[in-house]
Amino acid sequence: MILIKSIFAVFSVGLFFYNSIINPLIINEIEDNNFTLTVQINNCNSDKGKIMIALYNSADTYMSTDKAVQKKIVSIQNNKSTIRFENLPSGTYAFVFFHDANSNQKLDTNFMGIPKEGYGFSNDALGTFGAPSFSKSSFKLTA
């Protein structure tokens, strides 16, 4: 049996330099004490490219793609994408994503290091001159 535990929305955009607005909707379900986290990213600028997303469960691993709990590369259809992370134990998590519009598997930046592709963080977290902290981006999955 799957029980919808909670639904909450976060609104995330890149810096104001972007014309890309990405709204993730998060739905977590629980079955057999493991969660399925569904992230729906809406309002992508186009269907070109992919969404690259990484899920983290600690401040120590946060923003280190090779240390992500799970990571996915998914297509975009009708300017939205749905990502499912399955078999997650209870805990604290945060995700980071970007719209890899040119499919080069990296976040393109300008000469000042400012991203040129849409991106976002869980909890609508924004950083100052960089990514927000894990504590700002994190949310709990609990039974």
Side-chain angles (χ1 to χ4, degrees):
M1 177 177 165
I2 295 178
L3 169 70
I4 301 292
K5 285 293 289 179
S6 65
I7 299 174
F8 60 99
V10 292
F11 180 74
S12 295
V13 297
L15 295 175
F16 60 90
F17 301 105
Y18 300 102
N19 56 8
S20 173
I21 297 175
I22 301 174
N23 298 318
L25 171 68
I26 305 168
I27 303 170
N28 33 323
E29 304 168 349
I30 186 171
E31 184 173 11
D32 299 327
N33 293 321
N34 281 318
F35 287 86
T36 295
L37 175 68
T38 302
V39 179
Q40 184 172 333
I41 300 173
N42 301 310
N43 299 326
C44 296
N45 278 345
S46 73
D47 290 351
K48 292 181 181 176
K50 303 279 186 183
I51 294 293
M52 299 188 72
I53 186 166
L55 182 68
Y56 301 95
N57 65 355
S58 77
D60 293 334
T61 62
Y62 183 63
M63 299 298 293
S64 296
T65 307
D66 59 325
K67 295 180 181 177
V69 172
Q70 291 184 32
K71 52 190 170 189
K72 309 266 181 166
I73 301 173
V74 294
S75 61
I76 303 165
Q77 294 180 342
N78 299 317
N79 294 16
K80 61 184 166 186
S81 185
T82 301
I83 304 98
R84 290 176 58 90
F85 296 103
E86 298 180 316
N87 298 316
L88 298 171
S90 293
T92 302
Y93 295 90
F95 63 81
V96 177
F97 64 90
F98 73 94
H99 178 184
D100 184 15
N102 59 4
S103 297
N104 66 352
Q105 297 192 358
K106 66 178 186 174
L107 178 63
D108 295 323
T109 60
N110 68 15
F111 71 97
M112 294 177 56
I114 297 172
K116 298 191 305 187
E117 297 176 302
Y119 66 92
F121 302 89
S122 44
N123 286 341
D124 192 22
L126 295 175
T128 306
F129 300 106
S133 67
F134 180 79
S135 63
K136 284 186 179 180
S137 304
S138 64
F139 55 93
K140 293 188 184 300
L141 294 180
T142 57

